[in-house]
Amino acid sequence: MAEAKREVSLVLAKLKEEATPEKIEEAITEYAKLVNVIPAMNSFHWGKDDSAKVNLHLHEGYTHIFESSFDNIEGVKEYEDHPDHAVFEKLLLSCTEKLLVITYQPTIVNLQK
Amino acid sequence: MAEAKREVSLVLAKLKEEATPEKIEEAITEYAKLVNVIPAMNSFHWGKDDSAKVNLHLHEGYTHIFESSFDNIEGVKEYEDHPDHAVFEKLLLSCTEKLLVITYQPTIVNLQK
């Protein structure tokens, strides 16, 4: 079965140690709200790094993962250029020590010949 | 609507410049095959970094993204400890310059009060 094409934007963040739980929760909530105000943004998920639970230490210090999905790369552009994204970005950066942003089109490998 | 819980393992790789397209294709195909041999592994997607298309340069040089999903963190452990994973890992590392591995439980923010 063919999957619908989509473009995923991944943000890996190392949050500042001094960022309070309230500030972190605010940043995540504001991030999630973008789904409602930016039409191109289809979904938003987040999670904390679980590497320690599997004894892996290849996470380069990143503590939080944010995943947004779009129909295509044009949607990611629309999102990046949206004024509400700029406002949110300031908030996220205020509690972030380092950030990695990468976008890709998730593709399944068809193993059948 | 509540989503089913799952654990996602993300691998960001910077592939070696000297890695041939054939070698890269072999690594991706072998990665995908693990879905069929490791029961805990539910899905596999991959894609190339599209940062340049949105004029973003925060990808830290990573060129490829691999996403595997599992029912829970125990599934990730089962995967990490599987002998076929060890064989595949050698292959991937042979064409990789640097690697970031992070695992998380994707969570939706419920914006309703």
Side-chain angles (χ1 to χ4, degrees), chain B:
Chain B
M1 191 179 69
E3 278 196 316
K5 282 194 179 169
R6 63 196 165 101
E7 188 80 19
V8 165
S9 170
L10 287 175
V11 173
L12 273 54
K14 180 180 183 178
L15 297 194
K16 288 179 185 168
E17 279 187 30
E18 64 264 34
T20 61
E22 293 75 22
K23 188 83 179 169
I24 294 172
E25 196 185 328
E26 183 193 357
I28 294 171
T29 306
E30 291 301 315
Y31 206 153
K33 281 184 185 169
L34 296 180
V35 178
N36 296 334
V37 293
I38 306 179
M41 190 178 180
N42 293 332
S43 71
F44 169 75
H45 289 83
W46 77 283
K48 283 194 216 178
D49 169 44
D50 278 340
S51 295
K53 294 182 187 168
V54 281
N55 293 316
L56 264 179
H57 305 282
L58 297 167
H59 56 96
E60 298 291 335
Y62 294 103
T63 58
H64 289 69
I65 301 96
F66 307 101
E67 189 215 63
S68 314
S69 79
F70 305 85
D71 286 341
N72 46 43
I73 195 80
E74 286 72 26
V76 181
K77 272 187 205 164
E78 196 181 315
Y79 161 80
E80 291 288 344
D81 296 339
H82 196 284
D84 283 35
H85 174 259
V87 173
F88 156 73
E89 203 173 29
K90 265 194 177 173
L91 173 65
L92 183 65
L93 288 175
S94 74
C95 49
T96 298
E97 195 177 311
K98 67 171 183 172
L99 208 67
L100 188 162
V101 185
I102 202 160
T103 183
Y104 72 109
Q105 192 181 85
T107 304
I108 277 194
V109 180
N110 186 354
L111 293 172
Q112 291 164 331
K113 292 285 172 193

